[in-house]
Amino acid sequence: YELIEDNLVSEERAVPSQRGRVPMSLRLNDAGYPVLGLIVRPAYCQIAGAGLNGRIHKRATFQTPASPKKLVQALVRVIRLWREEAARAGAPEFRRIGVAVPGHVDVHAGRILWTPTHTELAGFPIAREIFDQTGIETLADNDCNLGALSELWLAKERNRERSANFIFLNVSDFGAGAGAVLNGEMYLGHDGNFAAEVGHMVVEPDGVACRCGRRGCWERYVCNEATWRRVHPRTSFTVDRFDEMLAAGLNGDKPSLNSFRETARYLSLGISNIGFLFNPAEVILAGRLTVIWDLLRPDVEALYGAAQLRCSIRPARLSADDSLLHGAVCLALRDAFAKPKFGELSAPDRRAAETA
């Protein structure tokens, strides 16, 4: 009855039998628990609205602002419009917001520690700022952690056996990151700040300079920009241009194919290191490169493969952006489905204790 009173579950009359009382069935009330998800990308941000079943039913995109305050202001403008629409429709208030950030995040405090694409966000308490401006409880985490969370959710939703040990690997336009699921749980490192930062494995000690301050990091050789620059060193990288390169590779363009095969070589090297480090059942690949996965797969699986490695490699169930955005929604829904942990304060109670 408490779930019904909280509008999380609704009753429906089932098909009546010939005898006895009319049976009632229960189902999740998707509309009774609206949440929001946000992903911060180098050039743009996306916000999504979803319900208790986790399916995204609306979204909006805006250019990533140049300052943390402006980022929150842009988000607040979208939320204000959506709140007005919800009020007119008699829908309940948004319950939580999940935020996916490309970088290190103190998940307990909801603070961005470091992000290579937007250094101005370092130290920004994004969860608290959004809560202060909207009154909606906000949680934040690394975007690849949330991509892994999305894969966990989708496997359960589709009644597929889900692996308890896998690595979600996102090869993005300007970097590469991962989320690790070990024994069915997200691994966040000893302090909850970062883990599985595989993009910063050093594969070329005297190699290309990385934004982390070191040289030869793996992401500088597998990201989309690196793949593009092997063929077009004097032309600036854009998403549209890279999509054209993907199409050219599929059509047999030799310079494009040679560059993709070089990327596949580095992918194979990194994934083999990941395999020996974590021994996962699966490595789940996300990013634009999945468009040409059938071309990359033989080299990725063979070049640095080893008899001891038995993990499979497959593309993510959703596109990279959709995986991360859905993961942000799943983060917002986490407490609605989480098992209670005795002695652990909820996020609002922690916030109240911190300000007391």
Side-chain angles (χ1 to χ4, degrees):
Y1 290 106
E2 290 180 359
L3 293 176
I4 295 174
E5 289 176 357
D6 289 341
N7 211 24
L8 301 180
V9 170
S10 61
E11 288 184 311
E12 289 184 345
R13 289 180 178 273
V15 177
S17 59
Q18 292 183 352
R19 296 181 180 180
R21 296 172 57 188
V22 176
M24 302 294 290
S25 62
L26 299 176
R27 67 176 180 85
L28 289 177
N29 181 16
D30 183 55
Y33 198 95
V35 297
L36 299 170
L38 171 72
I39 57 170
V40 179
R41 309 301 290 150
Y44 60 90
C45 296
Q46 278 193 321
I47 179 173
L52 198 56
N53 64 20
R55 297 188 187 102
I56 294 171
H57 53 71
K58 67 190 305 181
R59 67 180 72 200
T61 303
F62 56 88
Q63 187 175 5
T64 302
S67 75
K69 295 290 186 182
K70 290 181 179 179
L71 171 60
V72 174
Q73 289 169 4
L75 174 64
V76 168
R77 284 194 291 270
V78 177
I79 293 176
R80 185 182 300 120
L81 290 174
W82 287 5
R83 274 176 153 168
E84 292 171 356
E85 293 174 2
R88 288 194 295 269
E93 176 60 276
F94 295 113
R95 301 289 288 266
R96 284 188 179 88
I97 303 173
V99 182
V101 179
H104 297 178
V105 179
D106 181 341
V107 297
H108 302 301
R111 185 175 73 253
I112 300 172
L113 301 175
W114 173 76
T115 176
T117 56
H118 290 283
T119 55
E120 72 278 1
L121 291 174
F124 184 58
I126 189 168
R128 189 186 69 203
E129 290 289 335
I130 293 174
F131 173 78
D132 288 345
Q133 294 295 319
T134 65
I136 305 172
E137 182 184 346
T138 303
L139 306 169
D141 202 341
N142 171 265
D143 55 358
C144 292
N145 288 344
L146 298 184
L149 185 61
S150 171
E151 285 288 331
L152 278 172
W153 182 288
L154 291 172
K156 186 174 182 180
E157 181 185 76
R158 298 175 188 184
N159 294 319
R160 295 179 180 176
E161 184 179 350
R162 60 180 181 178
S163 170
N165 296 276
F166 69 85
I167 302 296
F168 176 88
L169 173 61
N170 181 34
V171 176
S172 65
D173 292 332
F174 302 104
V181 173
L182 305 179
N183 298 321
E185 299 286 341
M186 294 297 307
Y187 180 65
L188 302 177
H190 74 95
D191 55 4
N193 289 351
F194 73 91
E197 280 286 358
V198 298
H200 296 287
M201 294 186 293
V202 174
V203 296
E204 299 284 358
D206 298 317
V208 179
C210 182
R211 286 166 297 196
C212 75
R214 304 188 302 168
R215 287 189 170 273
C217 290
W218 184 48
E219 69 173 33
R220 303 310 301 148
Y221 299 88
V222 298
C223 71
N224 299 339
E225 182 186 34
T227 303
W228 167 265
R229 291 201 179 281
R230 293 189 196 105
V231 181
H232 308 282
R234 296 179 181 85
T235 306
S236 60
F237 171 89
T238 68
V239 171
D240 290 340
R241 287 171 177 168
F242 188 71
D243 286 342
E244 291 172 0
M245 184 178 177
L246 288 169
L250 288 171
N251 288 326
D253 178 68
K254 286 190 176 180
S256 298
L257 284 174
N258 289 338
S259 181
F260 286 128
R261 289 192 174 109
E262 181 70 356
T263 298
R265 184 175 76 87
Y266 278 107
L267 270 176
S268 182
L269 171 63
I271 290 174
S272 71
N273 288 340
I274 292 170
F276 277 105
L277 179 62
F278 290 104
N279 189 23
E282 288 185 312
V283 172
I284 300 170
L285 181 65
R288 299 183 199 281
L289 283 176
T290 57
V291 172
I292 59 167
W293 175 239
D294 288 343
L295 293 176
L296 301 180
R297 180 180 218 153
D299 287 346
V300 172
E301 292 181 341
L303 286 174
Y304 288 92
Q308 296 91 340
L309 293 177
R310 292 184 171 83
C311 67
S312 62
I313 309 169
R314 67 165 175 85
R317 292 185 173 94
L318 302 176
S319 70
D321 275 4
D322 283 353
S323 288
L324 307 183
L325 192 58
H326 179 249
V329 165
C330 294
L331 178 64
L333 291 168
R334 184 187 63 189
D335 287 350
F337 292 97
K339 297 177 182 178
K341 294 184 179 180
F342 295 105
E344 183 174 299
L345 294 176
S346 66
D349 290 338
R350 283 197 306 269
R351 193 156 34 240
E354 290 168 359
T355 56

